[in-house]
């Protein structure tokens, strides 16, 4: 991209240089032939620099417009790349095949069905710029139900929602990274007493998502993984100056708060 901008600058600078030479030539010719007096020369000098200023201003405007356009295209491309990291088509197709091979009414088949539904949401809805808040909530409920089937241990998993407008639009797949981390670093490693408490509220064009989980005291909490970097970058691109993301690590509990202003 930088090379393209550089080439365009060179072309415009050459064009300005040629136009300047032509204007200077006209000034000299007209001064010699028509305006032998100082007043005429001053008028043309003023005209020359006025035209030169307009030309330079137009060039600067075009450069700024070009840079903004290239930046927007880069951000869109980067956002699609970030989304693609959570859209595994291969897994979705494989899960469908496994579902067909399993016995009916089995717990394993239920797990595959839920995971397949999650992949479908990730692949098709995840590519959209916006989804409804209710769709995102359903996706999270599906994930939590799948994890509860997967782990054979007693735990306290709560997902509480208080939503005024379930059709409110948000960027898809925003909260799943935080929920995955809570299961991975908390419930998965604890033998007993594991808990994950999730609260999602929406009102006045603002969404607040809070998740807390406990973990082994010896285990260091990870706040800089690939998934979180992905999330932070997506938030910066889509909700600039309209979001807050905070982490609070206590001796044996981990708390994350994400707030979004929708408008």
């Amino acid at each position: 991209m930088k090379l393209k901008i550089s080439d365009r600058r060179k072309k415009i600078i050459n064009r300005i240089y040629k136009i300047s030479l032509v204007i200077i030539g006209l000034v000299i010719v007209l001064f010699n032939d028509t305006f032998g007096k100082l007043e005429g020369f001053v008028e043309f000098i003023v005209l020359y620099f006025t035209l030169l200023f307009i030309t330079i201003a137009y060039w600067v405007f075009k450069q700024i417009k070009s840079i903004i356009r290239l930046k927007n295209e880069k951000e869109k491309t980067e956002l699609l790349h970030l989304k693609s990291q959570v859209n595994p088509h291969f897994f979705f197709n494989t899960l469908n095949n496994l579902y067909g091979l399993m016995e009916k009414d089995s717990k394993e088949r239920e797990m595959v069905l839920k995971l397949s539904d999650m992949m479908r949401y990730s692949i098709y809805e995840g590519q959209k710029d916006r989804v409804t808040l209710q769709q995102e909530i359903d996706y999270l409920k599906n994930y939590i139900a799948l994890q509860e089937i997967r782990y054979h241990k007693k735990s306290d998993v709560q997902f509480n929602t208080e939503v005024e407008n379930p059709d409110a639009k948000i960027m898809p797949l925003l909260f799943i990274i935080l929920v995955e981390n809570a299961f991975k670093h908390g419930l998965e490693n604890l033998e007993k007493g594991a808990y994950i408490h999730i609260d999602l509220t929406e009102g006045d064009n603002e969404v607040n998502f809070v998740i807390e989980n406990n973990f082994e005291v010896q285990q260091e909490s990870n706040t800089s993984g690939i998934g979180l970097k992905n999330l932070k970058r997506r938030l910066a691109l889509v909700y600039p100056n309209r979001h807050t993301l905070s982490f609070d690590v206590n001796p044996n509990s981990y708390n994350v708060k994400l707030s979004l202003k929708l408008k």
Side-chain angles (χ1 to χ4, degrees):
M1 293 183 180
K2 292 183 179 179
L3 290 177
K4 291 182 179 179
I5 295 175
S6 178
D7 292 341
R8 180 176 291 184
R9 284 178 177 173
K10 289 179 181 179
K11 290 181 181 179
I12 294 177
I13 290 173
N14 289 333
R15 189 177 300 173
I16 292 175
Y17 175 72
K18 291 179 181 179
I19 292 174
S20 300
L21 290 178
V22 172
I23 293 175
I24 291 173
L26 288 174
V27 169
I28 294 173
V29 171
L30 291 173
F31 171 72
N32 289 332
D33 295 345
T34 307
F35 298 96
K37 297 181 180 179
L38 181 62
E39 296 79 16
F41 178 75
V42 171
E43 289 177 0
F44 271 87
I45 288 295
V46 171
L47 177 61
Y48 165 72
F49 281 105
T50 299
L51 292 174
L52 185 61
F53 174 79
I54 293 173
T55 304
I56 294 174
Y58 177 76
W59 172 74
V60 171
F61 170 77
K62 293 290 289 184
Q63 289 302 297
I64 294 174
K65 185 177 179 181
S66 175
I67 291 171
I68 292 174
R69 179 178 58 81
L70 290 172
K71 181 181 178 182
N72 289 337
E73 290 178 357
K74 180 183 177 183
E75 289 182 349
K76 288 180 180 179
T77 302
E78 184 176 358
L79 186 57
L80 286 174
H81 172 68
L82 291 170
K83 285 183 176 181
S84 70
Q85 294 182 22
V86 289
N87 293 332
H89 290 268
F90 171 76
F91 290 130
F92 174 63
N93 293 329
T94 303
L95 287 172
N96 281 338
N97 293 331
L98 288 173
Y99 179 79
L101 296 174
M102 291 180 174
E103 295 181 2
K104 293 182 179 180
D105 301 325
S106 66
K107 183 174 291 188
E108 291 78 13
R109 200 178 200 212
E110 183 183 354
M111 290 179 64
V112 171
L113 179 61
K114 289 185 179 297
L115 189 54
S116 179
D117 288 340
M118 290 180 60
M119 292 299 101
R120 183 179 293 105
Y121 179 85
S122 171
I123 290 170
Y124 296 111
E125 303 304 322
Q127 293 293 337
K128 297 179 180 179
D129 292 332
R130 295 290 189 276
V131 296
T132 66
L133 185 57
Q134 187 60 54
Q135 285 177 300
E136 195 75 355
I137 290 173
D138 292 340
Y139 176 72
L140 294 178
K141 287 182 177 179
N142 216 358
Y143 176 83
I144 293 170
L146 179 63
Q147 295 301 323
E148 289 179 332
I149 295 174
R150 176 188 173 194
Y151 292 108
H152 301 285
K153 62 176 72 174
K154 189 175 181 180
S155 60
D156 177 19
V157 180
Q158 300 178 20
F159 182 23
N160 304 309
T161 61
E162 187 176 338
V163 176
E164 293 181 5
N165 179 20
D167 293 325
K169 299 292 186 178
I170 64 170
M171 181 172 63
L173 303 172
L174 269 184
F175 312 116
I176 186 61
I177 294 298
L178 302 177
V179 177
E180 285 179 343
N181 281 349
F183 276 94
K184 178 181 178 181
H185 299 291
L187 190 148
E188 182 175 318
N189 296 304
L190 289 168
E191 292 297 329
K192 59 181 180 178
Y195 74 84
I196 298 174
H197 295 166
I198 307 169
D199 292 289
L200 191 155
T201 60
E202 181 274 332
D204 297 329
N205 289 315
E206 183 171 323
V207 175
N208 291 291
F209 182 86
V210 180
I211 181 167
E212 180 180 343
N213 66 276
N214 57 345
F215 59 91
E216 288 286 353
V217 177
Q218 297 84 358
Q219 181 184 356
E220 294 184 2
S221 182
N222 183 6
T223 60
S224 60
I226 295 176
L228 287 177
K229 289 180 180 178
N230 186 324
L231 174 62
K232 290 176 182 179
R233 185 55 183 158
R234 293 178 68 202
L235 288 169
L237 290 173
V238 179
Y239 296 97
N241 303 318
R242 292 191 293 122
H243 78 276
T244 58
L245 179 63
S246 62
F247 305 89
D248 185 16
V249 183
N250 296 312
N252 64 343
S253 66
Y254 185 65
N255 186 287
V256 184
K257 296 181 181 179
L258 171 59
S259 295
L260 301 171
K261 291 188 180 297
L262 304 183
K263 292 183 180 179

